[in-house]
Amino acid sequence: MTTVAGVTRAALRDRRAQLWRLAGWSAAEVLPAALSGLLTAHAVDSGFLAGRPGVGLAWLALLGLAVLVGAAGTHRSYALLGDVVEPFRDDLLRRVVRGAVAGAAGGRADDAAVARLTHQVELVRDTYAGLLMVVRGFLFAFGAAVLGLLSLAAPVALVVAVPVLAGLGLFAVALPVMVARQREYVLSDERLGRAVVTAVTGHRDVSASGARDRVTDWVGASVDAQARVERRLATMAATRGLSLALGGWLPVPALLLATPWLVRQGLGPGAVLGALVYVTRGVQPALHSLVQGVAAGGLRFAVTLDRLLRTAGPPAAAASSDATTGRPGPPPAASASPGGAAGCGSAGSLAQPTAPRGGSALSLRAVTFRYGPHADPVLDHLDLEVPAGDHLVIVGASGIGKSTLAGLVAGVLHPQSGTVHVGGSPVAGATPRQLADRRVLIPQEAYVFTGTLRENIDYLAPGLPDDTMDRAAARLGLTGLLARLGGYDALLRPADLSAGERQQLALLRAWLSPAALVILDEATCHLDPATEGRLEGAFATRPGTLVVIAHRVSSALRARRVLLLDGRAALLDTHQGLLARSPAYRALVGYGDQETEPPEAVTTSPTHGRSAPLPSGSAPRSWP
């Protein structure tokens, strides 16, 4: 596994030229620190105490010139810092993105990838820059101060060195504990991120199942755990303070106590004053910057970078961007997610999908799903059979679990118990490519990326000829939209498209995919009813099976069968059948609570229902 030290050494080795220039300007920056004590000693002993104030002022004028040179060095040092830091950040971003994509391709949902890509990468970049400046400053400033002390007298350097080394030794002993505490903090931050993402993405189902208090307590426990870690981390400030007291402040009284002895050794008052200048203006600030910088930024750098390297992909010879434009290429094969379209299908030119003859397109057996181990189930022992070629619409109140059911069917979510089969094969254990060949999911917020129009609509079926895409666009009534966007080679930016335009492009992408099962999870909610009707009608004629999570009653009118989820029961019937037997359905579609006696055989349980395959030629049945 790539180590923090190895990656850091490689980053520094790759920027050797910039580092040498940085070192040169750093030497200029510490020139005042190197000369301050010596010039002060000469100004006092040879000038003011000798009755020659002009000579003393001349020495101080030289110190002023050194300050100007140091200011120029500081300016150039910070200007060069970006040349060293930014390439390191770019390489780290590429590693994190490759790791996240590889994890998705392997079927691993990783909610913490967002925290790594944003917060943690920027944290590593900032702390890396801070460490460079801190270490550079300590080496040059401390070195300049030591050289200045030696230029005054070796005994002075000895008096100062003993407490400084004691402070550095104490800090080195405490450093492993500091690293462990910082690692705890990073891990607790990721756990809190996962908890928040889980709670936010499932908020509708949490509200519908009455689990708000439980989820609040669960997220609150993660917040409390992170707070405890931060308190333990704060206790290390006492250790840092003791190190600074020993190494930074103790040399001052030690030097004052040693003054009579130093004077007996031949040092003048100016030399003693110069030694104090070196300690207070050189050694003390350099040590303070080192301890605080390593304790704060260094620990975060080491722990956070280690965490990123454990989850990120390996370094690549070249970035995966377009060589001519610099834009990211089309997404690689990946599974669907609640915020994006389904993953890529197989490469090459793909024919229209063909529905399996007979058999089951979708089958759920005793499926139970809940958000969190102690939450009430959103779906409980759910059975559902959808024949190949069926057109099923799923309806219910907001937050009742419709999108959860769509996620389970698509393989985005995984049930705690029960099985889900698509096309006769289990969803569990299937690779993203296998799932993409069986089903395509278009969620409410359609996914469009920066790239050409062609890349956006054919990446589920790469290499399709233009005439195939033209026929599909004409069938869906989207020819005018494609022309308005500039044609297949036009560059798209998601921010330039309306939500409805993004949905239409995602629907065209789904139409062109090889999957026989299409799942539309409120995929037309940003479109007007007429456009929605046209698109749903077209998909109903597409070879294969169509499952629609509806947000308008009109979708139920167009469907062959309707599945009603109302939190107490799950009923499967035609639109007219549900009107006749379900008060909840009548209320949902606005018919009011008409007095209609349901069939005697229909019974429901509080949180689950049962269904059976429809016999050929029979009327749809309910789920007792």
Side-chain angles (χ1 to χ4, degrees):
M1 178 180 293
T2 307
T3 63
V4 171
V7 169
T8 306
R9 283 196 299 269
L12 295 174
R13 187 170 55 249
D14 292 341
R15 313 303 294 178
R16 282 192 296 266
Q18 290 82 357
L19 287 173
W20 278 114
R21 290 199 296 271
L22 180 62
W25 285 107
S26 297
E29 182 182 1
V30 299
L31 186 63
L35 297 178
S36 58
L38 184 62
L39 294 179
T40 299
H42 283 301
V44 172
D45 291 338
S46 303
F48 299 114
L49 290 181
R52 296 185 295 175
V55 174
L57 291 175
W59 284 112
L60 294 180
L62 290 177
L63 181 58
L65 291 176
V67 170
L68 293 178
V69 174
T74 301
H75 172 73
R76 290 302 304 160
S77 295
Y78 278 94
L80 286 167
L81 185 63
D83 295 337
V84 178
V85 172
E86 291 306 316
F88 175 72
R89 172 186 177 273
D90 294 341
D91 177 68
L92 192 57
L93 276 175
R94 285 191 287 269
R95 288 172 179 263
V96 172
V97 170
R98 278 193 299 272
V101 171
R108 293 183 286 107
D110 189 1
D111 295 329
V114 176
R116 286 194 292 273
L117 187 61
T118 54
H119 174 66
Q120 292 183 15
V121 168
E122 293 306 313
L123 181 63
V124 169
R125 189 272 298 269
D126 293 343
T127 52
Y128 179 62
L131 278 176
L132 282 177
M133 299 307 286
V134 164
V135 174
R136 173 200 67 95
F138 174 77
L139 292 177
F140 282 89
F142 186 73
V146 170
L147 288 176
L149 289 170
L150 289 173
S151 68
L152 293 174
V156 177
L158 180 63
V159 170
V160 173
V162 172
V164 170
L165 293 176
L168 286 175
L170 176 62
F171 179 70
V173 170
L175 197 57
V177 179
M178 296 180 187
V179 172
R181 297 283 171 84
Q182 187 66 37
R183 182 177 292 109
E184 289 179 5
Y185 170 76
V186 172
L187 295 177
S188 68
D189 181 60
E190 288 196 1
R191 286 193 291 268
L192 178 58
R194 291 192 187 98
V196 171
V197 168
T198 301
V200 171
T201 55
H203 71 282
R204 295 191 304 175
D205 299 301
V206 169
S207 299
S209 60
R212 283 175 293 187
D213 292 339
R214 295 185 182 181
V215 172
T216 300
D217 292 341
W218 174 56
V219 176
S222 297
V223 174
D224 293 340
Q226 188 186 40
R228 287 192 297 271
V229 171
E230 289 186 350
R231 284 194 293 270
R232 288 196 295 268
L233 189 63
T235 60
M236 302 310 300
T239 304
R240 295 198 300 272
L242 183 58
S243 299
L244 289 174
L246 284 175
W249 293 104
L250 187 58
V252 174
L255 189 60
L256 293 175
L257 291 174
T259 297
W261 176 74
L262 293 173
V263 171
R264 288 196 298 271
Q265 300 301 314
L267 264 71
V272 174
L273 180 61
L276 287 173
V277 170
Y278 279 126
V279 171
T280 58
R281 304 297 297 173
V283 174
Q284 194 178 83
L287 184 63
H288 184 275
S289 297
L290 179 70
V291 171
Q292 296 289 18
V294 172
L299 294 182
R300 286 197 296 270
F301 172 79
V303 174
T304 309
L305 180 57
D306 177 69
R307 182 64 175 161
L308 288 174
L309 294 176
R310 290 176 184 273
T311 55
S320 57
S321 60
D322 188 285
T324 58
T325 65
R327 294 182 288 102
S335 64
S337 69
C344 291
S346 57
S349 179
L350 297 174
Q352 269 285 28
T354 57
R357 295 186 178 276
S360 173
L362 169 63
S363 176
L364 284 77
R365 288 287 178 265
V367 169
T368 297
F369 180 84
R370 53 171 53 88
Y371 289 99
H374 305 296
D376 292 334
V378 180
L379 300 172
D380 191 6
H381 288 82
L382 175 66
D383 293 337
L384 176 64
E385 195 79 24
V386 180
D390 199 5
H391 179 185
L392 175 68
V393 166
I394 303 174
V395 299
S398 177
I400 206 66
K402 304 186 298 298
S403 293
T404 299
L405 179 55
L408 290 167
V409 171
V412 176
L413 302 175
H414 304 286
Q416 279 79 30
S417 62
T419 59
V420 180
H421 287 71
V422 172
S425 300
V427 169
T431 66
R433 186 176 297 276
Q434 290 170 337
L435 288 175
D437 288 338
R438 301 177 203 165
R439 58 90 183 108
V440 57
L441 168 67
I442 302 298
Q444 180 175 346
E445 297 302 326
Y447 174 62
V448 175
F449 56 87
T450 300
T452 65
L453 177 59
R454 183 190 308 277
E455 291 168 341
N456 269 279
I457 64 178
D458 79 344
Y459 80 76
L460 295 178
L464 289 178
D466 288 0
D467 58 348
T468 300
M469 293 188 288
D470 290 340
R471 287 194 298 271
R475 181 65 186 86
L476 296 179
L478 302 180
T479 302
L481 173 62
L482 301 190
R484 188 168 69 252
L485 295 176
Y488 295 124
D489 295 322
L491 178 65
L492 295 186
R493 295 180 178 86
D496 297 336
L497 302 177
S498 68
E501 288 172 333
R502 292 195 294 269
Q503 284 189 331
Q504 292 178 81
L505 292 180
L507 288 167
L508 177 57
R509 178 194 305 152
W511 180 279
L512 292 168
S513 77
L517 172 62
V518 174
I519 309 164
L520 305 182
D521 184 5
E522 299 191 9
T524 57
C525 63
H526 296 298
L527 303 176
D528 59 86
T531 303
E532 177 187 69
R534 184 188 76 236
L535 291 168
E536 280 190 13
F539 270 92
T541 66
R542 180 183 183 271
T545 305
L546 178 63
V547 174
V548 179
I549 308 298
H551 69 289
R552 291 190 179 109
V553 177
S554 55
S555 296
L557 298 177
R558 289 186 288 266
R560 175 174 177 260
R561 298 192 301 169
V562 180
L563 173 63
L564 170 66
L565 301 178
D566 69 358
R568 297 177 297 104
L571 299 177
L572 181 65
D573 210 324
T574 63
H575 170 69
Q576 292 297 332
L578 287 177
L579 283 177
R581 56 191 295 212
S582 172
Y585 187 73
R586 290 196 298 273
L588 188 67
V589 301
Y591 276 63
D593 191 11
Q594 302 174 6
E595 292 294 335
T596 304
E597 187 71 23
E600 189 172 325
V602 177
T603 60
T604 60
S605 58
T607 57
H608 69 275
R610 295 279 192 263
S611 74
L614 288 176
S616 178
S618 66
R621 299 182 351 175
S622 67
W623 299 4

